Amino acid sequence: MTDNTSRERDDAVTDGGRATDDAVTDGGRATDDAVTDGGRATDDAVTDGGRATNDAATDGGVASSGAAQTHNNTDYLGAEVNILNPSTPYMRDHLRIVWSGFAVWVLAVWGPVTLTNFAPGVMTQTMPILQFPLHYFLVAFGAPTSALILAFWYSRKRDALDEKYGIEHGTADVATDGGSDE
Amino acid sequence: MTASSILLQSDLLPEALNISFKLGPALLVIGMLGLFLTIGFVFRVADTDDMWVAGRSIGNVENGMAIGANWMSAASYLGMAASIALAGFYGLVFVVGWTTGYFILLIFLAAQLRRFGKYTAPDFVGDRFNSDTARAIAAVTTFLIGFVYAIGQAKGMALVGLYIFGNYGGLIPGLDGYQVMVVAMMVVTVGYLTLSGMLGATKNQAVQYVILILAFVVGLFVVGYTNGYSTVLPQLEYGALISQLGSEFSEPFSGSSYYLWVATTFSLIVGTCGLPHVLVRFYTVESERTARWSTVWGLFFICILYWSAPAFAAFGTDLYSQNVGATYGDPGMTGAASEVIVVLAAQLSGLPSWFVGIVAAGGIAAAIATVAGLFIAGSSAISHDIYTNIINEDATQRQQILVGRLSIVALGALTTLAALNPASSIAALVGYAFSLAGSVLFPMFFLGMWWENANRQGALAGMTTGLTLWSIPMINQIVPTYIGSVEAPLSAGLATWMPAIGSALITLPIVFVVTIAVSMATDEPSLETKRIVRQCHSPEPMGQQETAEDVVADGGEDVATDGGRAMDDAGADGGRAVDDAAAEGDRTDDATTEEER
């Protein structure tokens, strides 16, 4: 079963005390669960075998961080996606990184050219040591290199963000693989 | 528009290039094609399932190389140095536009595309906006992009082919040496494609990248070293040479305006993020984290060539001035010669012909790999997205393959005709395809991913607007060059403010506004569509096999169907198996598509 991993994670935290959690997270779901639990019980029985160990492992790490707690309480499929109006804490944090990177990127790509247009004298001076005309170097070498450094920076930031929210990309595969064998 | 207008001469025989049949280089090219086919054949055993698994397990570095091989065509290999040599500072727009765009792709689309998890660009548009018409427009766009993009590749292959195989002008009545070579190279490419298209050539990408980058970088090192230009880092050692090359090489905005510079880079950047063959690379990596990190690696591998191209242009320009004649002024270096400046630089350095042949062969490898990929993407757009999805839903496998083959031949014929007397430089020709991708596809991907309320009506209106607006400067500047009696451009004013190569600067904001306005004026998309978009942004990890649609379908139906889930799953699984089987045909295509570029 390739069922949604998100629920498994939810379950991981809420197993046992699910009633309380539901009450906290979403009023609506409690009812849903009531309606649907009948069917799920069997289902859980099928999958639970392999899951127990996993849960133990995940639970330890997850509980410790506040962001991870928020993450577990967020219903991502119920939160609107609008780049100008991020609706989850995660997306707010993510977009902060995205826009900071974007701003630096705009400067790196069009900054030197614009300066060259308005102050050609300064920008076309020869650089010490490398002997390049400044504008030429900033464009031919500076722009691609900036994009590369920014890409590296962003990916690092994004990994850190996942860590902050207690998201591990490896675990999903383990859980899913187990299920998909069925 | 110096870059493109200089190159309007009909006579495309590069002066100073040693045009003759050379056995060594010819064997090299043939051997290279044979190697690609062999690798494809050996790894064909992987077949659908294994190939899929291999696809899923593609890691950062390997996918990065694939991105690099996908990306670098004759436009990067030949066209970029050509533009830098001839158009000077303006030529650098290609260095900037074709690298920095990857950062935008990374922060806005890469991981989200992995989560969306479909196979082709028209797939995304069709599924996200729930519209076969939208899918068809995206498919037509993909076909057009393949066509326009390939014209530049054909031109590059033919010019380099002259060095390796010689001048056979008149062999086909009425065609000069360049034109005969266009026909020959395109026949070889389509032939190669029919052979390789059936093979899952997973490893080819890495091999193609290695050949390409070695040929280019080693060529640069040797040219720099033997002429005393540079020692170990030619990419940073051509600075002092620039002042000797004439002001045309480096003076800012001497032949073109600041506006054109900005418009072109903008267009190339958003085009990068909207090109179907680039986007599909992110669908099949093992995880969204890999989607991100492989972009970083891919950009690094691309940068290796892009740091080198300006150096190659500088060395080539200097060698040309010393050995042939003044590069700038009258008569100056012709467009044809500039296009092969990379090869010419090696030849003018007095290097042996086998070594020059390697540099030339790298250009052919880049072009053939790219054309193969573009044609497969174009033909699958026609056979899968238009024919099977819209025209004949009950199409048999045979019919689909037939339609696919016919579209490849049609693309080959169209490209050959258009390349016989190409309207512009290689880089500019490819640039028009970027304008198209940036005008039509990028806005759909960006808004579709980042604004859940973008809907079908908005997408249809936006894409139609984009296509129409893109064609205006094309008709203004490019079409007349194919009609003898009309002068291009039809309107100089329009060409200044909405240049064909930079038209996305104008079209993109308009397409955004149209799409948003129409979406707001009409009904919001269904909750299911919204949930798919949300799933693309959720940080929850997903399984390797999952698409956002799967997750939403499973998770979303919890509410209503949990009770009967067992049945549901059975039903879904059955359906999925069939789906997979059906998709397998395409998937072979797709796999090749991704790998061949």
Side-chain angles (χ1 to χ4, degrees):
Chain A
M1 275 210 188
T2 39
D3 267 341
N4 52 340
T5 357
S6 56
R7 185 156 49 77
E8 287 177 18
R9 292 188 139 263
D10 262 2
D11 287 353
V13 183
T14 53
D15 260 352
R18 194 191 303 176
T20 357
D21 204 75
D22 277 349
V24 178
T25 338
D26 49 349
R29 207 203 296 172
T31 356
D32 287 344
D33 279 348
V35 177
T36 55
D37 257 351
R40 202 194 290 177
T42 0
D43 215 78
D44 284 349
V46 180
T47 9
D48 257 351
R51 203 193 293 169
T53 15
N54 241 322
D55 283 352
T58 339
D59 252 350
V62 169
S64 55
S65 133
Q69 204 65 52
T70 322
H71 163 67
N72 279 307
N73 292 337
T74 306
D75 174 14
Y76 289 99
L77 293 186
E80 187 191 1
V81 172
N82 180 341
I83 194 166
L84 300 177
N85 182 22
S87 59
T88 64
Y90 185 89
M91 194 178 270
R92 254 193 301 282
D93 281 359
H94 182 207
L95 280 175
R96 199 170 298 133
I97 302 174
V98 166
W99 290 126
S100 325
F102 183 75
V104 177
W105 175 88
V106 169
L107 290 179
V109 172
W110 287 299
V113 185
T114 308
L115 284 177
T116 307
N117 188 46
F118 292 111
V122 181
M123 292 300 291
T124 50
Q125 281 174 356
T126 305
M127 292 164 70
I129 304 166
L130 288 175
Q131 304 280 303
F132 276 89
L134 181 62
H135 72 292
Y136 201 91
F137 185 77
L138 288 178
V139 170
F141 193 87
T145 312
S146 311
L148 180 60
I149 294 170
L150 278 169
F152 182 79
W153 168 85
Y154 168 82
S155 296
R156 283 282 296 275
K157 275 287 196 189
R158 189 53 213 264
D159 281 354
L161 191 64
D162 280 358
E163 202 170 304
K164 177 179 163 196
Y165 280 82
I167 296 158
E168 282 176 56
H169 285 281
T171 49
D173 298 338
V174 177
T176 326
D177 279 348
S180 61
D181 286 343
E182 282 174 41
Chain B
M1 281 299 305
T2 43
S4 42
S5 53
I6 286 170
L7 301 166
L8 293 179
Q9 298 105 332
S10 55
D11 182 26
L12 279 172
L13 284 185
E15 74 274 8
L17 188 72
N18 174 7
I19 296 172
S20 64
F21 178 77
K22 300 178 191 63
L23 186 63
L27 289 176
L28 202 69
V29 169
I30 294 166
M32 194 174 68
L33 291 178
L35 177 71
F36 295 160
L37 287 175
T38 313
I39 293 172
F41 187 77
V42 169
F43 289 93
R44 166 200 53 126
V45 280
D47 227 27
T48 44
D49 248 21
D50 282 352
M51 188 162 79
W52 216 209
V53 176
R56 268 185 281 124
S57 60
I58 287 184
N60 294 330
V61 178
E62 202 180 340
N63 195 51
M65 280 193 172
I67 289 174
N70 252 355
W71 184 243
M72 288 184 281
S73 68
S76 302
Y77 198 98
L78 302 167
M80 210 160 49
S83 297
I84 296 167
L86 266 197
F89 185 67
Y90 175 72
L92 294 178
V93 291
F94 298 102
V95 176
V96 176
W98 286 341
T99 51
T100 56
Y102 271 90
F103 179 67
I104 298 303
L105 191 58
L106 170 67
I107 59 175
F108 289 119
L109 292 173
Q112 287 79 6
L113 281 172
R114 170 62 185 83
R115 295 181 71 86
F116 192 83
K118 285 302 174 71
Y119 304 118
T120 66
D123 262 347
F124 172 85
V125 175
D127 290 353
R128 166 62 180 84
F129 299 108
N130 302 309
S131 163
D132 273 348
T133 316
R135 181 194 300 271
I137 299 178
V140 168
T141 309
T142 303
F143 186 87
L144 264 178
I145 288 173
F147 165 59
V148 177
Y149 210 118
I151 302 173
Q153 310 305 318
K155 181 179 179 186
M157 277 194 283
L159 287 171
V160 172
L162 286 170
Y163 174 83
I164 297 177
F165 298 106
N167 181 350
Y168 299 95
L171 193 70
I172 301 173
L175 299 189
D176 66 23
Y178 159 80
Q179 293 169 325
V180 170
M181 202 50 75
V182 168
V183 175
M185 284 303 201
M186 287 308 291
V187 169
V188 169
T189 307
V190 171
Y192 167 79
L193 199 50
T194 48
L195 286 174
S196 71
M198 286 172 281
L199 305 171
T202 311
K203 301 288 169 193
N204 258 337
Q205 301 162 291
V207 175
Q208 280 161 354
Y209 176 76
V210 171
I211 289 181
L212 194 102
I213 205 71
L214 278 182
F216 200 84
V217 173
V218 172
L220 176 67
F221 272 100
V222 174
V223 167
Y225 191 81
T226 51
N227 293 290
Y229 294 130
S230 59
T231 53
V232 289
L233 214 54
Q235 291 87 349
L236 289 174
E237 290 178 83
Y238 64 100
L241 183 64
I242 290 178
S243 58
Q244 301 164 28
L245 294 176
S247 63
E248 288 89 344
F249 190 85
S250 64
E251 193 188 314
F253 318 119
S254 57
S256 56
S257 67
Y258 167 70
Y259 174 80
L260 181 64
W261 209 102
V262 172
T264 314
T265 40
F266 182 86
S267 213
L268 297 176
I269 286 165
V270 292
T272 304
C273 307
L275 278 177
H277 72 278
V278 175
L279 295 167
V280 294
R281 276 257 42 106
F282 298 103
Y283 287 144
T284 49
V285 287
E286 63 188 358
S287 72
E288 53 173 298
R289 189 166 178 272
T290 312
R292 287 195 291 274
W293 279 106
S294 63
T295 309
V296 181
W297 278 105
L299 183 53
F300 171 70
F301 289 136
I302 290 167
C303 277
I304 294 177
L305 190 135
Y306 282 57
W307 286 320
S308 307
F312 229 140
F315 297 166
T317 306
D318 191 53
L319 285 164
Y320 186 93
S321 306
Q322 284 177 19
N323 298 296
V324 185
T327 305
Y328 306 107
D330 199 20
M333 185 177 5
T334 65
S338 78
E339 301 283 24
V340 292
I341 191 91
V342 167
V343 180
L344 211 49
Q347 182 202 308
L348 294 176
S349 303
L351 298 166
S353 73
W354 63 264
F355 185 86
V356 185
I358 291 179
V359 176
I364 292 188
I368 284 197
T370 303
V371 175
L374 289 169
F375 279 15
I376 287 173
S379 84
S380 80
I382 297 295
S383 73
H384 171 77
D385 296 307
I386 291 187
Y387 179 70
T388 314
N389 263 304
I390 297 167
I391 298 177
N392 179 4
E393 290 192 14
D394 306 318
T396 62
Q397 201 73 20
R398 253 187 89 144
Q399 286 173 314
Q400 288 185 45
I401 291 174
L402 183 69
V403 172
R405 291 251 165 85
L406 286 177
S407 357
I408 286 185
V409 173
L411 264 172
L414 277 174
T415 305
T416 309
L417 283 177
L420 288 181
N421 204 356
S424 313
S425 69
I426 298 173
L429 284 167
V430 169
Y432 306 144
F434 278 71
S435 295
L436 176 56
S439 302
V440 179
L441 294 178
F442 174 71
M444 294 310 119
F445 275 87
F446 188 89
L447 286 173
M449 269 308 179
W450 282 99
W451 185 44
E452 64 178 30
N453 286 343
N455 68 8
R456 177 191 309 164
Q457 293 84 348
L460 288 173
M463 286 200 290
T464 320
T465 310
L467 267 177
T468 313
L469 290 177
W470 172 78
S471 60
I472 292 173
M474 290 299 284
I475 292 169
N476 185 39
Q477 286 169 256
I478 314 303
V479 174
T481 62
Y482 288 105
I483 306 168
S485 55
V486 201
E487 272 294 299
L490 300 176
S491 153
L494 185 66
T496 306
W497 293 108
M498 196 175 173
I501 196 167
S503 60
L505 183 65
I506 306 280
T507 62
L508 184 127
I510 298 176
V511 172
F512 264 68
V513 168
V514 167
T515 310
I516 293 171
V518 174
S519 293
M520 285 171 82
T522 49
D523 291 340
E524 290 187 1
S526 71
L527 184 61
E528 202 203 337
T529 302
K530 290 184 176 188
R531 289 170 71 99
I532 291 177
V533 177
R534 292 166 188 171
Q535 174 60 23
C536 291
H537 289 278
S538 159
E540 300 280 8
M542 287 167 71
Q544 284 190 344
Q545 298 299 331
E546 280 181 313
T547 67
E549 206 177 354
D550 291 341
V551 174
V552 168
D554 288 352
E557 280 159 27
D558 268 5
V559 180
T561 59
D562 243 359
R565 170 115 55 94
M567 275 210 294
D568 213 69
D569 278 354
D573 267 352
R576 198 182 299 166
V578 181
D579 241 41
D580 283 354
E584 227 124 75
D586 311 321
R587 206 174 279 167
T588 333
D589 273 359
D590 288 333
T592 334
T593 312
E594 291 142 27
E595 286 146 16
E596 288 298 318
R597 235 53 59 86

